[in-house]
Amino acid sequence: MHNTPPSATTARALIDAAPLSRFQWQTFFLCFCITLFDGFDTQAIAFTGPAIASAFHLEPNELTPLIVAGTLGMALGAVTLGSLGDRIGRRTTILWAVLVFGVFSLLTGFARSPQEILLARFFTGLGMGGAVPVVLSLVSELSPARHRGLIITGALLGLPTGAIGGGLLASRLLPQIGWQGIFIIGGVLPLLFLFVLLVRLPESPFFLAVKNPAFYQNKIQSLLAQMLPAISRETLQSCAPITSGETTRASIKALLQPKFLRNTLAVWLTYFCNWAAWFMLLLWLPTVLKMAGLPAAQAALGTVIINSPAVLFCLVMAYYLPKKPVRVLLTATLSLGIVVTWMLSMAGSHWAWVFFLVGAAGIGVGLPHIALKYVVLEAYPTELRATGAGWAIGMGRTGSIVGAGLGGWLLKTFGVAGFYSALSVPLLLAIAGVLMIRTEKEAKSALSVKG
């Protein structure tokens, strides 16, 4: 039997000390599948955009509202369903979110006008935006501290993996099943998977403990027993399921205090600009490639190529991030992104070179997404990190709306080369934000110098 460390007096301490159980691995896999379907549906509009534009005779700027609708829905979903997860539970909110984005993705496939697509994409985004933050909360609460970063990153890998799968599917089947078929697949699969979630997805024992520990005592004990099969029932019954410190939340006012204001503005700037550049590139790439001369089916492969480096490198980056200065890694990758976008603006129709650079853009523009959560760790003390991360993601979502909205206008006004060149502006501002951040150690040093 597993020996419980003397200090392991709470459920959190027991989970941190114990090896990962089959129950935990199963839950993490279910969460990965949710983000997998999310990634497919999020970028479905990207690799079907050229086909939709052709079907309804839309110019690139007329396609913009359809692309922005999903990102706007995601932003609102993150706020509404995200907070709902703290009220009605992780499991219930995730189930509703999957139901919403599955149903409305399916309905997108039956839309008969751009207006119907716009409405369906908004509600699809609402479900997708609400699913991810709650999934991350569940994964975080069920993970031991020593592996939490890698496990969260692994769960998020579903997003680029789903996008890659969708891009490959679109490149092979788009001529046969049309853009409608892509959305129907993107709706049917998560709706079928919903039955698996109904049976297998657990609630977080930490949420139940915060909600009503007395009422949910048996359920909490059952969940902890599945998570910690090597711990005796007596030990589980005697431990506190959650500490009071885990339920406290800081406010936005704390982030705007003079001593944190610089870091707050810097973090918001970094998130806003990086997400703006990434979503502008990600959602418009197939359309840009088609305008540059590629057939629509081959243009969809751009989604595959730009997401593949995220799958290949993000776990490696997640492993090294806690060990290396995050600002150095972020500055290096964002600088690479600037160089790559300028090279893309001059690549013309040399397709081997274009696709190589698109893959490099996945590293320079997309990979910083993985590192951004570590920026919050350096910018704030422990008691402000959850609030700081929440507001930072909100700023990132806002940036994604702006980036998605600007993409069509830039493409129509400045063409393919101008579109790529414009990406360097938010990337440069993101670097400025990274360099503005002052770590706790630096802040203390500055105060001691002043003293």
Side-chain angles (χ1 to χ4, degrees), residues 27 30-31 33-35 81-82 84-85 88-102 127-128 130-139 190 193-194 197-198 201-204:
T27 304
L30 293 177
C31 290
C33 290
I34 294 168
T35 62
L81 293 184
L84 199 63
I88 66 173
R90 315 310 190 210
R91 170 185 156 85
T92 303
T93 304
I94 290 170
L95 293 177
W96 275 108
V98 173
L99 177 65
V100 168
F101 78 68
M128 292 185 295
V132 172
V134 186
V135 163
L136 293 182
S137 294
L138 181 62
V139 169
F193 189 67
L194 190 60
L197 296 176
L198 282 167
L201 188 70
E203 182 54 89
S204 165

Side-chain angles (χ1 to χ4, degrees), residues 32-400:
F32 169 83
C33 290
I34 294 168
T35 62
L36 184 76
F37 296 130
D38 195 327
F40 181 101
D41 279 337
T42 297
Q43 294 183 38
I45 192 66
F47 39 75
T48 59
I52 292 173
S54 297
F56 294 103
H57 309 291
L58 302 176
E59 295 294 328
N61 61 310
E62 294 175 307
L63 192 62
T64 299
L66 307 186
I67 292 177
V68 173
T71 56
L72 179 60
M74 289 173 67
L76 293 177
V79 174
T80 55
L81 293 184
S83 61
L84 199 63
D86 288 331
R87 297 177 185 174
I88 66 173
R90 315 310 190 210
R91 170 185 156 85
T92 303
T93 304
I94 290 170
L95 293 177
W96 275 108
V98 173
L99 177 65
V100 168
F101 78 68
V103 166
F104 282 97
S105 179
L106 184 62
L107 290 177
T108 306
F110 294 97
R112 294 168 296 180
S113 68
Q115 292 75 23
E116 290 182 4
I117 295 175
L118 186 148
L119 193 62
R121 288 304 299 169
F122 173 79
F123 284 104
T124 304
L126 197 69
M128 292 185 295
V132 172
V134 186
V135 163
L136 293 182
S137 294
L138 181 62
V139 169
S140 176
E141 289 164 356
L142 268 60
S143 303
R146 65 188 184 278
H147 298 314
R148 190 169 296 135
L150 280 173
I151 292 171
I152 290 174
T153 302
L156 285 174
L157 266 180
L159 296 172
T161 305
I164 291 169
L168 290 172
L169 189 71
S171 67
R172 294 179 65 88
L173 297 182
L174 195 61
Q176 287 77 39
I177 64 177
W179 62 267
Q180 299 94 332
I182 301 298
F183 286 107
I184 290 172
I185 292 172
V188 169
L189 292 180
L191 290 176
L192 291 176
F193 189 67
L194 190 60
F195 291 100
V196 179
L197 296 176
L198 282 167
V199 176
R200 292 294 184 181
L201 188 70
E203 182 54 89
S204 165
F206 294 92
F207 168 79
L208 297 176
V210 171
K211 198 71 176 174
N212 192 331
F215 181 80
Y216 293 113
Q217 182 179 5
N218 291 336
K219 183 65 175 176
I220 292 169
Q221 291 296 319
S222 174
L223 288 167
L224 291 177
Q226 293 178 81
M227 291 177 66
L228 302 163
I231 305 297
S232 68
R233 181 177 297 272
E234 293 75 17
T235 301
L236 292 177
Q237 289 176 343
S238 64
C239 75
I242 194 166
T243 64
S244 59
E246 287 175 281
T247 65
T248 57
R249 293 189 176 209
S251 67
I252 179 62
K253 291 182 180 179
L255 299 179
L256 298 178
Q257 290 178 16
K259 61 180 177 179
F260 299 122
L261 182 60
R262 169 176 167 165
N263 277 1
T264 295
L265 296 178
V267 168
W268 288 359
L269 177 65
T270 304
Y271 266 78
F272 180 94
C273 292
N274 180 238
W275 284 50
W278 178 235
F279 274 82
M280 187 167 81
L281 180 59
L282 200 62
L283 296 177
W284 285 99
L285 183 61
T287 303
V288 172
L289 293 175
K290 185 173 182 292
M291 282 189 65
L294 271 183
Q298 293 182 30
L301 287 174
T303 304
V304 177
I305 293 170
I306 197 170
N307 279 285
S308 296
V311 176
L312 293 173
F313 292 106
C314 73
L315 286 176
V316 176
M317 193 173 189
Y319 176 79
Y320 282 107
L321 272 169
K323 303 173 176 61
K324 304 291 182 182
V326 65
R327 287 181 298 179
V328 173
L329 291 172
L330 268 174
T331 302
T333 51
L334 290 168
S335 298
L336 172 64
I338 292 173
V339 172
V340 168
T341 55
W342 275 101
M343 293 176 75
L344 275 168
S345 71
M346 298 179 286
S349 57
H350 298 87
W351 298 121
W353 182 234
V354 168
F355 280 118
F356 173 80
L357 292 173
V358 165
I363 299 173
V365 187
L367 206 56
H369 264 58
I370 307 301
L372 284 180
K373 63 178 178 286
Y374 290 92
V375 168
V376 176
L377 298 181
E378 288 201 354
Y380 300 113
T382 303
E383 63 271 16
L384 281 181
R385 284 172 185 164
T387 300
W391 278 89
I393 290 173
M395 287 296 163
R397 290 292 186 194
T398 305
S400 69

